Amino acid sequence: MDIHIQASLSSSSSSSSSSSSSSSSIESTVSEPHNTYAEDRESGNFGCLHYRRRCKIRAPCCDEVFDCRHCHNEAKVICSLCDTEQDVQQYCSNCGVCFGKYFCSICRFFDDDVSKSQYHCDECGICRTGGKENFFHCKTCGCCYSKLMKDGHRCIERAMHHSCPVCFEFLFDTTKDISVLPCGHTIHLECAKEMESHFQYSCPVCSKSICDMSRLWVKLDKVIASTPMPDIYKNKKVWILCNDCGAEGEVQFHVVAHKCLDCNSYNTKQTIGRRRTASCSSTTVPEIVS
């Protein structure tokens, strides 16, 4: 059963003066403007103008110490042909060689392979691949998505600003292809395929089905119909919560699976008991937050 992949995207990586892509990452979530104060910066306790922090980084590419990766990227560049050290720019000030056919002065990003159709998204704050004409920026999700999804994707606030639920790599600035699941959650495409190879067809975040499972539900109908339960269980009923539609209901117990009476899905789980209207939280089925 194939997973329906709605779109994929990737961010550009590496520049001639940086160790990785010049993109927003987890750092951006801790750099709110109201957390940066002039007196702190002047005192030297919080490093540079980019982030409020009490630490420095050592760049693996040059083994030099900087206040942050942006400070690293704003450093000088050295021409590979004439060894001239100079300010970050597209062409060498000495021999005139082009450092990269694609050059982003904001990200300090160079790449001579323009077949990737790189472009800079002002709202994302990073360079991405795939051609600007093929993507749109969703302000709710906080990321660029394929225009094929513009009228049909399900918005989840900051959907890309978290780690992949399978491999835990941060998704916003990953260079790997991304799959947007029908529920709106995001995951690496290769991780989604890995889940499929292990017969895992539910979202790791919200447990909703990640593809059309109707054919499997029909097969389960036949299996259950051909597998009657012993007399002792014929009148036994259980309360279930459907992961797909969110409905609760009391259904006939069966050892194979329990079918949602609202949407016919077997992607359900047995709950402790019927949802009560009383205030006692111990008898209430927890709400699934997607």
Side-chain angles (χ1 to χ4, degrees), residues 1 61 91 125 189 213:
M1 186 174 296
C61 57
Y91 296 91
L189 176 58
M213 303 288 288

Side-chain angles (χ1 to χ4, degrees), residues 18-134:
S18 64
S19 61
S20 62
S21 66
S22 303
S23 58
S24 297
S25 65
I26 298 178
E27 292 172 320
S28 64
T29 64
V30 296
S31 60
E32 297 297 331
H34 65 272
N35 284 337
T36 306
Y37 302 98
E39 59 267 29
D40 291 332
R41 295 197 302 268
E42 291 172 0
S43 67
N45 293 331
F46 291 96
C48 61
L49 297 175
H50 300 106
Y51 300 108
R52 176 184 167 93
R53 52 170 57 164
R54 291 187 179 91
C55 64
K56 297 179 183 292
I57 64 168
R58 183 178 294 278
C61 57
C62 58
D63 201 36
E64 297 291 333
V65 177
F66 297 89
D67 286 309
C68 76
R69 61 189 179 82
H70 291 298
C71 292
H72 172 274
N73 294 341
E74 290 173 358
K76 303 287 185 176
V77 296
I78 301 175
C79 178
S80 298
L81 272 68
C82 65
D83 291 328
T84 300
E85 184 175 346
Q86 57 203 278
D87 292 333
V88 179
Q89 54 195 326
Q90 188 172 16
Y91 296 91
C92 177
S93 59
N94 181 52
C95 66
V97 68
C98 179
F99 294 141
K101 293 179 182 178
Y102 175 82
F103 168 66
C104 177
S105 59
I106 299 174
C107 296
R108 268 68 171 179
F109 176 72
F110 305 83
D111 197 343
D112 216 37
D113 181 9
V114 294
S115 65
K116 292 180 279 188
S117 300
Q118 302 92 328
Y119 70 96
H120 181 85
C121 176
D122 292 328
E123 293 178 281
C124 282
I126 63 174
C127 290
R128 295 196 176 278
T129 61
K132 189 172 184 178
E133 69 280 2
N134 298 319

